[in-house]
Amino acid sequence: DNDWIPAASMSFLFGSILSAACGYMGMHVATEGNCRTAAACYSSREEGLSRGLQVAFRSGACMGLGVVSFGAFGLSLSYAIFGNTNALGGFGFGSSAVALFARVGGGIYTKAA
């Protein structure tokens, strides 16, 4: 019986959207974190790298927790809506596919630049 196909395909789309949102949010947090890290290293001459490392670690932790939160939210919502584990596989495949294509596309872009 193929009643799992709509659930898996909808979860695939949901995982793709959440993965793209994580990528966008990650680029925004990384850019802001880099600016703040450079400002912290420059402004505090006495503390220097210590303050910059603290700012960089906090911005990285923020992004790490954000990605894990999006993943846990997406898996929970997919299972709550569809109620079968095939939907979880679709979610994971969708989010992994977008992450893979973003990584490959970013590598090609940096080689071209």
Side-chain angles (χ1 to χ4, degrees):
D1 202 16
N2 292 333
D3 59 344
W4 59 271
I5 293 175
S9 60
M10 292 298 290
S11 292
F12 179 88
L13 289 175
F14 185 54
S16 301
I17 291 168
L18 279 183
S19 181
C22 279
Y24 181 78
M25 186 177 72
M27 290 304 292
H28 180 71
V29 169
T31 303
E32 290 290 324
N34 287 341
C35 292
R36 291 179 182 178
T37 300
C41 287
Y42 183 74
S43 65
S44 60
R45 298 271 184 199
E46 296 82 35
E47 297 176 17
L49 293 177
S50 175
R51 180 75 181 128
L53 181 63
Q54 187 179 21
V55 172
F57 185 77
R58 286 183 180 166
S59 64
C62 172
M63 191 53 229
L65 288 173
V67 168
V68 171
S69 298
F70 272 41
F73 170 73
L75 285 173
S76 301
L77 192 62
S78 292
Y79 189 74
I81 290 173
F82 298 111
N84 67 18
T85 56
N86 291 322
L88 302 182
F91 178 84
F93 186 66
S95 59
S96 296
V98 169
L100 172 74
F101 290 130
R103 184 177 177 112
V104 170
I108 291 171
Y109 177 75
T110 55
K111 285 183 180 74

